[in-house]
Amino acid sequence: MAKSEEKNSQDRSLDPATQSSMADAQDAGIELVWDRLDAQSPQCRFGAEGICCRACAMGPCSISARSERGVCGATADTIVARNFLRMIASGAASHSDHGREVAHTFIRAARGEAPGYEIKDEQKLRQVARLFDLEVEGRDKNELAEEVGKAALREFGKQEGELTLIKRAPERRQRLWRELGVVPRGVDREVVEVMHRTHMGVDQDYQNMMLQGTRAALADGWGGSMLATELQDIMFGTPGQPWPEAERDIPQMEANLGVLSDNEVNIVVHGHEPLLSEMVVVAARDPELLEMARQAGAEGINIAGICCTANEILIRHGVPVAGNFLQQELAISTGAVEMMVVDVQCIMQGLSRVAEDFHTQLVTTSEKARIPGAQHSQFDEEDALNSAKALVKQAIDNFPKRRGVNIPADRGEAVAGFSHEYINYMLGGSFRGSYWPLNSNIIDGRIRGVAGVVGCNNPKVSHDAVHIPLVEELIANDVLVVQTGCSAIASAKAGLMRPETALEKAGDGLREVCEAVGIPPVLHAGSCVDNSRILIALSEMVRVGQDNSRLSLGDDISDLPVAGAAPEWMSEKAIAIGQYFVASGVFTVFGVGMPILGGEEFTKLLFEDYADQLGGSWACEPDPSDMAAVMIDHIDAKRKSLGIEEARERTLFDMEMRRELQEEG
Ligand code: SF4
Ligand code: MSK
C-alpha cells in the first residue's frame, strides 16, 4: 500500500485502548497484524471469491473469463463448494476436538484421576444423563459422571444412528433434517466424509455436497460444541448457577488492555480450552505463590484472558478480559505481561516475534499447538494444579525483568455469563424458571426479536467498528442481543453489557423489560462453543409456545423473530457456526465478505434457496447499518407471519447519531 493510503490507528480500530497501544507499537517499530495485512495487499481475488482450487497436482486452478473450468473440468460452483465444505469441516473439527479433550478430562475427574477437577453441577449432570437415557436415580455422582463422559465420547466415533443431542431441537426441525438426510451420525464420521467428498473427482454436485456440509455443521453445533459446553458446565460450574446457593449471581468484570496491572504479575491466558486456565486461576490464589510474588516486588498475581479462554473463565469466575482477537499482540506490547499461556485456536504465530522484544514468556501447552520460539510446557491434566503452579512461579520469576510498561487506561465494565439456565432463572425465578416472559414480551411487542451477534475480529475491517454500531442499532430497535466470542468482548469493552449504560441506548420497550427483569439488553453467553447455548435457548422459546398456545411463536426455530450475525468474522469455525445456525432455521448475516461469491449458483443456494429448503439463509452485509437493516427486516417479517406485527418505524442510525452515542458512551 502506498504511504499516502496507509491507515492510522484511528482507522484501524474503534477501541481507544487498541488505538493508543497500536500507535505506541508503531512508534517502537513492532510489527503487528495490520502491518502484515498491508504487506499482503492486494490479496488474491481468486481466493477471496472462493474460486481457487489446489485439490490435486493438475492444479492449482482458478476460474476466470478465460478459463471457466479447472483442468479436471470442475466448475466455479464445484470449487467454491469444496472450499466452503472444507472450512466447515475444519471449524467443526476444532470445536469438536475441544469437546473431546473436555470429555477425556471429565472421565478422569469422575474416576478421581485428575486432582483439582470435580463434578460441580450435579443438577446439570442429571439433566445430561437423562438425555443419554442413563438411569440417574440413586446414582453416585462420580459413577454417573463417568457414564456420561463415556456416552459423550461415543458421540464422536459413532458410525450409525443419530447424534443424541439432536433431540433437543424442535420436533419439526428434526423431521426436516431427517427428510433431507442431514442428521449427523457421529462427529468424526461427518468431518471425514466432507474430506472424502471434496477430494478430487468425488462429489461434484454443489447441492449434494452442501447436504454433507450441513450434516458436518450440525455435528458441530448440536454435537461437539454442545458437548463441550455441557461437560464444562458440569465440571467447572454453569454460569449463574449456585455453588454455593448463597453465591447465586453472575460475575461482574472488566475488559480491555487496562485490566493489565502495572504492579502485579500479569499472566494472560489465550485460546479456547479452559482445562488449564481454570487451574491457573486456582494457582494464582495460592498463598505461597502470592508471597513469592510479593518477594519479587509485585503486589499480587493478575490473571487476564484473551479470546475464548478469556470468555470461559470470565463467565465462571469474573476473571478480567485483556482483549479480543486483534489485541493479542498488543497485550504483549504493553511490556506488562510476564507470561502468555496459550492452548489452541486463534493464536497468531506473530506473538512469538512480539514476545522477543519484551520479557514476556510465551508458553504453548497443547501437543496439538506448538509455536517456534515459544516455550512448550505440556499440560498434564493428571497433575493439573502443579502444572499451573509451575507456570505461575515462572511468571513471578519473570517480573523483575520488566523494562517499563505502557498500559492504556481504558477498560469497560460488564456483567457476563448468561447461560441458558441463568436466563431461565432470571426470567422466571428458581421455581418456575421459564422463557414464557420472553415469549410474552415478544408477542406484546416490547421486545421486537432476539439477535445472536458473535464471532471474531478481522484486520480487513476496523476493529470492533462493525460489532459495536450493529449492537447499538439492534438494541435501539428493541432487539435483545445475545453474544459470544470476541464480539461479546467488544461489547463488554464498550460498556454495552453494563446495565445502566446499555439501557440508555435501548429502545423504550426493551429498556422496560430489562429494567423489570434486571438484565442488560446485551447478554454475554460465553465462548464460541457456547453458541450451542443459543441453540438451546431458541429451542426453549419454541417449546414454551407449544406448551401454552397463548405464548406460541410457531413450532420451529425458523418461525421465531430472531437473526444471527458474525460482523467481523475471520475463522473457519465461524463458517461452521454460520452453517449450523442457518441449518437450524436462523437467518444469519456475515460481515467482511464471503469466499463464495465466485460461484453464482452456490451463492444463490445459500442466500436465497435455503430460505425455502432450511427456513434459514445466509446474507453478507459488511456495513453495520445495512446489517442491522436486513436483520430487523427479517425479524419484522417473522413477526408478520406470526400475526404479531405492529406498524413501527425502524430507528435508523446516521453518522451524527453514531458520534453522539460514542461521546455519551
Ligand atoms: Fe484443478 Fe480439478 Fe485439481 Fe482442483 S481438482 S486443482 S480444479 S484439476
Ligand atoms: S476466539 S473463533 S477469534 S470469536 Fe473464539 Fe474470537 Fe473468532 Fe477465535
Side-chain angles (χ1 to χ4, degrees):
M1 185 182 280
K3 271 267 176 244
S4 59
E5 292 172 291
E6 270 178 17
K7 293 179 176 172
N8 63 28
S9 56
Q10 272 80 17
D11 299 323
R12 300 282 207 192
S13 177
L14 184 74
D15 170 31
T18 300
Q19 290 172 359
S20 70
S21 281
M22 195 191 306
D24 292 344
Q26 274 166 349
D27 290 347
I30 296 166
E31 180 193 277
L32 299 172
V33 58
W34 292 275
D35 302 310
R36 294 188 293 271
L37 175 64
D38 287 347
Q40 287 286 339
S41 301
Q43 289 177 315
C44 170
R45 179 184 69 81
F46 298 109
E49 293 185 8
I51 44 176
C52 167
C53 181
R54 51 179 187 81
C56 85
M58 293 191 286
C61 303
S62 52
I63 303 299
S64 65
R66 192 173 60 83
S67 53
E68 288 181 354
R69 287 175 180 259
V71 176
C72 66
T75 63
D77 290 306
T78 302
I79 291 173
V80 165
R82 276 188 194 140
N83 291 331
F84 197 73
L85 254 74
R86 287 191 170 203
M87 292 182 89
I88 293 175
S90 171
S94 303
H95 287 141
S96 301
D97 226 28
H98 168 170
R100 188 196 321 267
E101 285 301 320
V102 174
H104 280 300
T105 305
F106 189 90
I107 291 170
R108 290 195 187 113
R111 289 179 181 155
E113 295 169 358
Y117 298 106
E118 59 180 316
I119 302 303
K120 278 190 176 159
D121 188 345
E122 288 187 50
Q123 191 182 338
K124 189 153 193 170
L125 171 68
R126 285 192 291 274
Q127 277 168 6
V128 175
R130 282 192 194 98
L131 289 168
F132 282 110
D133 293 326
L134 298 174
E135 179 56 52
V136 299
E137 297 312 321
R139 302 289 300 280
D140 168 72
K141 76 169 179 182
N142 288 321
E143 182 193 280
L144 182 59
E146 185 174 346
E147 271 192 46
V148 167
K150 285 179 178 168
L153 263 190
R154 282 196 292 275
E155 296 290 295
F156 293 91
K158 238 164 142 176
Q159 299 301 311
E160 301 296 339
E162 297 185 348
L163 276 191
T164 303
L165 300 183
I166 287 290
K167 62 184 170 193
R168 298 177 106 172
E171 283 289 332
R172 202 178 99 199
R173 183 79 359 206
Q174 293 182 47
R175 272 202 304 279
L176 175 67
W177 289 338
R178 288 189 189 107
E179 279 162 25
L180 292 171
V182 297
V183 178
R185 295 154 293 186
V187 175
D188 297 351
R189 175 161 187 184
E190 305 314 346
V191 172
V192 168
E193 192 166 319
V194 168
M195 299 311 286
H196 178 197
R197 288 206 202 188
T198 56
H199 185 277
M200 189 271 155
V202 187
D203 204 347
Q204 287 153 72
D205 173 337
Y206 69 91
Q207 302 197 36
N208 197 47
M209 268 192 261
M210 273 311 288
L211 290 174
Q212 180 58 24
T214 298
R215 188 147 58 167
L218 291 173
D220 176 357
W222 297 85
S225 281
M226 199 173 278
L227 288 167
T229 295
E230 300 300 59
L231 298 187
Q232 284 173 181
D233 277 357
I234 295 170
M235 241 191 324
F236 303 132
T238 306
Q241 289 287 78
W243 297 283
E245 178 70 36
E247 284 181 16
R248 180 193 281 272
D249 209 349
I250 58 164
Q252 311 234 350
M253 51 77 86
E254 290 182 320
N256 216 337
L257 294 169
V259 305
L260 295 172
S261 169
D262 56 6
N263 52 18
E264 291 175 293
V265 174
N266 289 306
I267 301 173
V268 173
V269 289
H270 171 25
H272 281 76
E273 291 176 4
L275 296 172
L276 174 60
S277 48
E278 281 276 335
M279 287 301 150
V280 173
V281 172
V282 175
R285 294 175 188 150
D286 182 273
E288 224 173 280
L289 290 173
L290 285 167
E291 180 51 33
M292 202 178 285
R294 274 189 284 276
Q295 280 173 13
E299 288 182 13
I301 302 169
N302 181 40
I303 310 294
I306 297 262
C307 280
C308 281
T309 295
N311 287 323
E312 295 279 5
I313 52 177
L314 155 69
I315 58 174
R316 299 192 176 91
H317 306 291
V319 168
V321 174
N324 48 8
F325 177 69
L326 283 182
Q327 292 177 287
Q328 53 187 285
E329 292 172 309
L330 295 173
I332 295 180
S333 77
T334 62
V337 176
E338 275 57 56
M339 180 176 280
M340 183 177 276
V341 183
V342 303
D343 48 81
V344 291
Q345 300 167 23
C346 304
I347 299 146
M348 290 191 206
Q349 187 167 351
L351 286 176
S352 68
R353 203 147 146 192
V354 182
E356 277 173 16
D357 290 343
F358 296 88
H359 74 305
T360 308
Q361 186 62 56
L362 179 66
V363 182
T364 55
T365 57
S366 166
E367 199 49 72
K368 293 172 196 150
R370 294 200 184 200
I371 302 176
Q375 166 189 321
H376 184 73
S377 297
Q378 183 56 45
F379 168 53
D380 176 6
E381 66 193 5
E382 291 184 12
D383 196 20
L385 190 53
N386 284 328
S387 295
K389 280 184 179 174
L391 291 176
V392 174
K393 187 175 172 311
Q394 193 187 347
I396 294 169
D397 290 343
N398 231 1
F399 183 77
K401 297 180 197 157
R402 276 190 186 184
R403 282 171 263 154
V405 300
N406 193 358
I407 306 170
D410 312 81
R411 48 167 93 181
E413 289 177 1
V415 291
F418 287 88
S419 60
H420 143 69
E421 290 82 354
Y422 190 68
I423 297 174
N424 215 24
Y425 165 72
M426 284 303 289
L427 290 174
S430 54
F431 296 107
R432 55 179 181 88
S434 162
Y435 276 68
W436 74 259
L438 178 60
N439 284 28
S440 162
N441 281 305
I442 289 174
I443 289 165
D444 70 21
R446 284 192 187 86
I447 295 178
R448 195 170 193 152
V450 180
V453 181
V454 308
C456 325
N457 301 127
N458 188 321
K460 288 172 162 181
V461 297
S462 181
H463 169 239
D464 292 351
V466 192
H467 292 302
I468 300 306
L470 171 68
V471 170
E472 286 177 339
E473 191 152 344
L474 289 170
I475 61 174
N477 282 283
D478 294 313
V479 176
L480 178 68
V481 175
V482 182
Q483 296 202 265
T484 62
C486 291
S487 185
I489 297 174
S491 289
K493 288 186 295 175
L496 290 174
M497 289 168 170
R498 185 170 166 265
E500 308 77 38
T501 316
L503 286 173
E504 288 164 19
K505 299 184 178 186
D508 291 344
L510 181 61
R511 180 168 55 238
E512 200 183 314
V513 175
C514 289
E515 276 171 346
V517 177
I519 56 173
V522 185
L523 306 179
H524 191 322
S527 67
C528 294
V529 292
D530 293 336
N531 283 313
S532 59
R533 298 188 197 278
I534 300 177
L535 295 177
I536 297 171
L538 297 176
S539 304
E540 274 299 292
M541 288 168 72
V542 173
R543 195 186 58 75
V544 162
Q546 287 173 326
D547 288 352
N548 181 342
S549 59
R550 280 188 304 123
L551 299 170
S552 175
L553 291 172
D555 58 2
D556 190 6
I557 292 172
S558 58
D559 294 332
L560 299 172
V562 302
E568 300 177 22
W569 77 280
M570 66 87 202
S571 81
E572 292 170 312
K573 292 177 290 172
I575 292 290
I577 293 167
Q579 183 61 21
Y580 75 62
F581 269 102
V582 166
S584 300
V586 180
F587 173 66
T588 302
V589 195
F590 270 40
V592 184
M594 285 183 70
I596 62 168
L597 302 179
E600 246 175 70
E601 291 300 314
F602 185 84
T603 303
K604 182 174 166 296
L605 173 72
L606 267 62
F607 285 23
E608 296 172 29
D609 304 351
Y610 269 178
D612 291 331
Q613 188 190 104
L614 293 169
S617 57
W618 289 79
C620 183
E621 292 290 352
D623 176 81
S625 217
D626 293 342
M627 195 179 283
V630 293
M631 293 170 79
I632 292 168
D633 285 350
H634 176 81
I635 284 170
D636 285 351
K638 290 292 167 187
R639 293 185 64 86
K640 192 165 181 207
S641 306
L642 290 164
I644 56 170
E645 83 276 23
E646 320 159 17
R648 48 194 306 186
E649 293 294 308
R650 187 162 78 83
T651 307
L652 286 163
F653 276 32
D654 57 20
M655 282 314 289
E656 195 52 39
M657 286 176 73
R658 253 189 234 308
R659 263 193 294 275
E660 277 172 27
L661 278 166
Q662 301 293 326
E663 280 157 19
E664 284 166 21

mmCIF file of all heavy atoms in Angstrom, residues 52-63 69-75 79 82 198-201, ligand 1:
data_model
loop_
_atom_site.group_PDB
_atom_site.id
_atom_site.type_symbol
_atom_site.label_atom_id
_atom_site.label_comp_id
_atom_site.label_asym_id
_atom_site.label_seq_id
_atom_site.Cartn_x
_atom_site.Cartn_y
_atom_site.Cartn_z
ATOM 1 N N CYS A 52 -10.459 -20.656 -6.233
ATOM 2 C CA CYS A 52 -9.109 -21.178 -6.410
ATOM 3 C C CYS A 52 -9.108 -22.607 -5.881
ATOM 4 O O CYS A 52 -9.566 -22.858 -4.776
ATOM 5 C CB CYS A 52 -8.142 -20.300 -5.614
ATOM 6 S SG CYS A 52 -6.524 -21.035 -5.452
ATOM 7 N N CYS A 53 -8.639 -23.562 -6.670
ATOM 8 C CA CYS A 53 -8.627 -24.955 -6.215
ATOM 9 C C CYS A 53 -7.208 -25.504 -6.307
ATOM 10 O O CYS A 53 -6.539 -25.345 -7.321
ATOM 11 C CB CYS A 53 -9.567 -25.797 -7.081
ATOM 12 S SG CYS A 53 -9.614 -27.535 -6.560
ATOM 13 N N ARG A 54 -6.764 -26.134 -5.211
ATOM 14 C CA ARG A 54 -5.472 -26.836 -5.281
ATOM 15 C C ARG A 54 -5.655 -28.235 -4.687
ATOM 16 O O ARG A 54 -4.819 -28.737 -3.957
ATOM 17 C CB ARG A 54 -4.369 -26.043 -4.587
ATOM 18 C CG ARG A 54 -4.679 -25.599 -3.190
ATOM 19 C CD ARG A 54 -3.499 -24.847 -2.593
ATOM 20 N NE ARG A 54 -3.742 -24.563 -1.183
ATOM 21 C CZ ARG A 54 -3.558 -25.439 -0.209
ATOM 22 N NH1 ARG A 54 -3.121 -26.646 -0.469
ATOM 23 N NH2 ARG A 54 -3.809 -25.093 1.031
ATOM 24 N N ALA A 55 -6.815 -28.831 -5.064
ATOM 25 C CA ALA A 55 -7.137 -30.148 -4.515
ATOM 26 C C ALA A 55 -6.366 -31.269 -5.201
ATOM 27 O O ALA A 55 -6.437 -32.407 -4.760
ATOM 28 C CB ALA A 55 -8.643 -30.405 -4.615
ATOM 29 N N CYS A 56 -5.662 -30.976 -6.293
ATOM 30 C CA CYS A 56 -4.827 -32.028 -6.882
ATOM 31 C C CYS A 56 -3.648 -31.386 -7.603
ATOM 32 O O CYS A 56 -3.602 -30.165 -7.783
ATOM 33 C CB CYS A 56 -5.644 -32.905 -7.824
ATOM 34 S SG CYS A 56 -5.795 -32.257 -9.502
ATOM 35 N N ALA A 57 -2.718 -32.212 -8.034
ATOM 36 C CA ALA A 57 -1.476 -31.698 -8.613
ATOM 37 C C ALA A 57 -1.600 -31.350 -10.098
ATOM 38 O O ALA A 57 -0.625 -30.953 -10.726
ATOM 39 C CB ALA A 57 -0.349 -32.702 -8.399
ATOM 40 N N MET A 58 -2.816 -31.468 -10.659
ATOM 41 C CA MET A 58 -3.033 -30.911 -12.004
ATOM 42 C C MET A 58 -3.217 -29.397 -11.890
ATOM 43 O O MET A 58 -3.080 -28.671 -12.856
ATOM 44 C CB MET A 58 -4.267 -31.530 -12.660
ATOM 45 C CG MET A 58 -4.121 -33.008 -12.976
ATOM 46 S SD MET A 58 -5.457 -33.614 -14.015
ATOM 47 C CE MET A 58 -6.832 -33.693 -12.858
ATOM 48 N N GLY A 59 -3.569 -28.949 -10.674
ATOM 49 C CA GLY A 59 -3.767 -27.532 -10.413
ATOM 50 C C GLY A 59 -2.486 -26.935 -9.865
ATOM 51 O O GLY A 59 -1.425 -27.543 -9.982
ATOM 52 N N PRO A 60 -2.502 -25.806 -9.207
ATOM 53 C CA PRO A 60 -3.723 -25.099 -8.825
ATOM 54 C C PRO A 60 -4.463 -24.480 -10.012
ATOM 55 O O PRO A 60 -3.837 -24.050 -10.971
ATOM 56 C CB PRO A 60 -3.201 -24.010 -7.883
ATOM 57 C CG PRO A 60 -1.775 -23.811 -8.248
ATOM 58 C CD PRO A 60 -1.281 -25.126 -8.736
ATOM 59 N N CYS A 61 -5.802 -24.446 -9.873
ATOM 60 C CA CYS A 61 -6.658 -23.888 -10.913
ATOM 61 C C CYS A 61 -7.442 -22.705 -10.354
ATOM 62 O O CYS A 61 -7.813 -22.710 -9.183
ATOM 63 C CB CYS A 61 -7.661 -24.941 -11.385
ATOM 64 S SG CYS A 61 -6.890 -26.447 -12.004
ATOM 65 N N SER A 62 -7.672 -21.739 -11.205
ATOM 66 C CA SER A 62 -8.548 -20.642 -10.797
ATOM 67 C C SER A 62 -9.507 -20.360 -11.947
ATOM 68 O O SER A 62 -9.194 -20.628 -13.105
ATOM 69 C CB SER A 62 -7.730 -19.404 -10.441
ATOM 70 O OG SER A 62 -6.840 -19.105 -11.482
ATOM 71 N N ILE A 63 -10.663 -19.836 -11.580
ATOM 72 C CA ILE A 63 -11.717 -19.638 -12.580
ATOM 73 C C ILE A 63 -11.746 -18.178 -13.018
ATOM 74 O O ILE A 63 -11.764 -17.275 -12.182
ATOM 75 C CB ILE A 63 -13.093 -20.044 -11.991
ATOM 76 C CG1 ILE A 63 -13.068 -21.495 -11.515
ATOM 77 C CG2 ILE A 63 -14.211 -19.796 -12.998
ATOM 78 C CD1 ILE A 63 -12.775 -22.521 -12.589
ATOM 79 N N ARG A 69 -13.329 -23.455 -16.369
ATOM 80 C CA ARG A 69 -13.286 -24.731 -15.649
ATOM 81 C C ARG A 69 -11.852 -25.053 -15.251
ATOM 82 O O ARG A 69 -10.902 -24.649 -15.919
ATOM 83 C CB ARG A 69 -13.827 -25.863 -16.531
ATOM 84 C CG ARG A 69 -15.338 -25.799 -16.698
ATOM 85 C CD ARG A 69 -15.827 -26.852 -17.661
ATOM 86 N NE ARG A 69 -17.275 -26.759 -17.792
ATOM 87 C CZ ARG A 69 -18.137 -27.567 -17.165
ATOM 88 N NH1 ARG A 69 -17.694 -28.521 -16.375
ATOM 89 N NH2 ARG A 69 -19.433 -27.427 -17.344
ATOM 90 N N GLY A 70 -11.722 -25.829 -14.160
ATOM 91 C CA GLY A 70 -10.403 -26.313 -13.777
ATOM 92 C C GLY A 70 -9.934 -27.377 -14.757
ATOM 93 O O GLY A 70 -10.699 -27.826 -15.629
ATOM 94 N N VAL A 71 -8.694 -27.823 -14.609
ATOM 95 C CA VAL A 71 -8.136 -28.815 -15.531
ATOM 96 C C VAL A 71 -9.006 -30.074 -15.570
ATOM 97 O O VAL A 71 -9.225 -30.676 -16.624
ATOM 98 C CB VAL A 71 -6.679 -29.168 -15.112
ATOM 99 C CG1 VAL A 71 -6.104 -30.280 -15.989
ATOM 100 C CG2 VAL A 71 -5.791 -27.927 -15.196
ATOM 101 N N CYS A 72 -9.564 -30.464 -14.441
ATOM 102 C CA CYS A 72 -10.407 -31.669 -14.383
ATOM 103 C C CYS A 72 -11.820 -31.403 -14.897
ATOM 104 O O CYS A 72 -12.622 -32.319 -15.001
ATOM 105 C CB CYS A 72 -10.482 -32.193 -12.956
ATOM 106 S SG CYS A 72 -11.339 -31.067 -11.859
ATOM 107 N N GLY A 73 -12.133 -30.150 -15.189
ATOM 108 C CA GLY A 73 -13.473 -29.807 -15.657
ATOM 109 C C GLY A 73 -14.362 -29.239 -14.565
ATOM 110 O O GLY A 73 -15.530 -28.921 -14.814
ATOM 111 N N ALA A 74 -13.820 -29.091 -13.343
ATOM 112 C CA ALA A 74 -14.641 -28.576 -12.234
ATOM 113 C C ALA A 74 -15.110 -27.152 -12.526
ATOM 114 O O ALA A 74 -14.336 -26.326 -13.029
ATOM 115 C CB ALA A 74 -13.842 -28.605 -10.939
ATOM 116 N N THR A 75 -16.384 -26.884 -12.190
ATOM 117 C CA THR A 75 -16.935 -25.543 -12.412
ATOM 118 C C THR A 75 -16.658 -24.653 -11.199
ATOM 119 O O THR A 75 -16.236 -25.133 -10.137
ATOM 120 C CB THR A 75 -18.463 -25.615 -12.587
ATOM 121 O OG1 THR A 75 -19.008 -26.105 -11.340
ATOM 122 C CG2 THR A 75 -18.865 -26.534 -13.727
ATOM 123 N N ILE A 79 -15.922 -25.767 -7.231
ATOM 124 C CA ILE A 79 -14.714 -25.355 -6.495
ATOM 125 C C ILE A 79 -15.089 -24.556 -5.245
ATOM 126 O O ILE A 79 -14.567 -24.795 -4.155
ATOM 127 C CB ILE A 79 -13.782 -24.545 -7.430
ATOM 128 C CG1 ILE A 79 -13.215 -25.490 -8.496
ATOM 129 C CG2 ILE A 79 -12.664 -23.867 -6.653
ATOM 130 C CD1 ILE A 79 -12.418 -24.791 -9.595
ATOM 131 N N ARG A 82 -16.448 -26.994 -2.640
ATOM 132 C CA ARG A 82 -15.386 -27.769 -1.992
ATOM 133 C C ARG A 82 -14.686 -26.955 -0.919
ATOM 134 O O ARG A 82 -14.458 -27.421 0.190
ATOM 135 C CB ARG A 82 -14.321 -28.161 -3.029
ATOM 136 C CG ARG A 82 -14.617 -29.379 -3.815
ATOM 137 C CD ARG A 82 -13.352 -29.701 -4.631
ATOM 138 N NE ARG A 82 -13.651 -30.669 -5.654
ATOM 139 C CZ ARG A 82 -13.169 -30.634 -6.890
ATOM 140 N NH1 ARG A 82 -12.350 -29.668 -7.259
ATOM 141 N NH2 ARG A 82 -13.479 -31.564 -7.741
ATOM 142 N N THR A 198 -14.813 -34.040 -0.870
ATOM 143 C CA THR A 198 -14.185 -32.885 -1.521
ATOM 144 C C THR A 198 -12.824 -33.248 -2.119
ATOM 145 O O THR A 198 -12.116 -32.381 -2.626
ATOM 146 C CB THR A 198 -14.027 -31.713 -0.527
ATOM 147 O OG1 THR A 198 -13.289 -32.177 0.621
ATOM 148 C CG2 THR A 198 -15.367 -31.181 -0.076
ATOM 149 N N HIS A 199 -12.449 -34.526 -2.048
ATOM 150 C CA HIS A 199 -11.238 -34.977 -2.729
ATOM 151 C C HIS A 199 -11.464 -34.866 -4.238
ATOM 152 O O HIS A 199 -12.603 -34.923 -4.705
ATOM 153 C CB HIS A 199 -10.944 -36.434 -2.336
ATOM 154 C CG HIS A 199 -9.658 -36.960 -2.878
ATOM 155 N ND1 HIS A 199 -9.539 -37.463 -4.148
ATOM 156 C CD2 HIS A 199 -8.428 -37.044 -2.314
ATOM 157 C CE1 HIS A 199 -8.276 -37.832 -4.350
ATOM 158 N NE2 HIS A 199 -7.586 -37.596 -3.248
ATOM 159 N N MET A 200 -10.396 -34.716 -4.975
ATOM 160 C CA MET A 200 -10.509 -34.629 -6.427
ATOM 161 C C MET A 200 -11.339 -35.796 -6.978
ATOM 162 O O MET A 200 -11.110 -36.955 -6.616
ATOM 163 C CB MET A 200 -9.094 -34.668 -7.034
ATOM 164 C CG MET A 200 -9.044 -34.372 -8.512
ATOM 165 S SD MET A 200 -9.235 -35.843 -9.485
ATOM 166 C CE MET A 200 -9.882 -35.167 -11.007
ATOM 167 N N GLY A 201 -12.330 -35.455 -7.790
ATOM 168 C CA GLY A 201 -13.063 -36.491 -8.501
ATOM 169 C C GLY A 201 -14.113 -37.228 -7.694
ATOM 170 O O GLY A 201 -14.493 -38.328 -8.073
HETATM 171 FE FE1 SF4 B 1 -7.732 -28.128 -10.747
HETATM 172 FE FE2 SF4 B 1 -9.652 -30.026 -10.652
HETATM 173 FE FE3 SF4 B 1 -7.255 -30.456 -9.479
HETATM 174 FE FE4 SF4 B 1 -8.944 -28.656 -8.432
HETATM 175 S S1 SF4 B 1 -9.272 -30.855 -8.579
HETATM 176 S S2 SF4 B 1 -6.739 -28.403 -8.742
HETATM 177 S S3 SF4 B 1 -9.936 -27.838 -10.286
HETATM 178 S S4 SF4 B 1 -7.660 -30.136 -11.657
#
